[in-house]
Amino acid sequence: MRGVLKLSACLFGLSLLSACGGEGDSGNATPGYTPLTQDQRYDLLYRATFGPKPDSYQQLANLGYVAWLDQQFSMVPSLHLPRLKQYELEPGKDSYNQSDRAAVWWDLSINAPDQLRQRVAFALSEIFVISRYGASLNGAHKRWPIITTCSSHTLLPTIAI
């Protein structure tokens, strides 16, 4: 599983940088790397985050994209479960509901400092769909047995080819 996640993160990172590489006015460019143009910086921020904050563009311009990516990779992860446990349970309930989980997801997607990690996690969740309703998925295992019975180790190579 770890290898699949590394491969997925690598491919996602390469796709983020695929548009990078023109000449530009990036400010503090890292030696050996071509600075990004203004449009490329905007594009990177919109692809790597859920939407840049007002100061994000200037931060990227000042740091350069390599240092910005390094900064994002080195941040402490913003985890959903600890944030969820900060919510008060509804009276008479002993567990959180889907609305609570969605509120935490939106909160972290918009406000977490590790925006790249949140965006990659979302992208991976779109690839590896996990149902909150259980494994049966209303008989989907009969219609699509490979999807519901295999692990990500067998699913990704099978659908990627």
Side-chain angles (χ1 to χ4, degrees), residues 11 18 20 38 132:
L11 292 174
S18 65
C20 302
Q38 179 178 345
R132 69 177 192 247

Side-chain angles (χ1 to χ4, degrees), residues 28-130:
N28 300 332
T30 304
Y33 294 95
T34 306
L36 301 180
T37 64
Q38 179 178 345
D39 288 341
Q40 289 170 330
R41 288 190 301 264
Y42 280 125
D43 191 44
L44 175 62
L45 285 172
Y46 277 100
R47 289 176 187 234
T49 68
F50 283 102
K53 295 181 187 239
D55 62 338
S56 298
Y57 172 76
Q58 191 58 45
Q59 180 187 22
L60 177 59
N62 291 340
L63 289 173
Y65 72 91
V66 174
W68 183 84
L69 287 171
D70 288 340
Q71 181 185 56
Q72 287 289 310
F73 292 140
S74 66
M75 287 185 177
V76 175
S78 300
L79 303 175
H80 291 228
L81 186 58
R83 183 70 60 94
L84 180 64
K85 289 183 177 182
Q86 293 174 355
Y87 280 58
E88 290 186 31
L89 286 171
E90 292 181 23
K93 301 284 182 176
D94 61 350
S95 64
Y96 297 98
N97 60 32
Q98 180 60 21
S99 177
D100 296 328
R101 289 187 290 274
V104 168
W105 183 87
W106 277 106
D107 180 28
L108 290 178
S109 297
I110 295 169
N111 299 312
D114 59 334
Q115 282 288 295
L116 179 60
R117 182 177 286 110
Q118 299 299 318
R119 185 67 179 94
V120 169
F122 174 72
L124 290 173
S125 77
E126 294 293 300
I127 296 169
F128 300 106
V129 178
I130 307 298

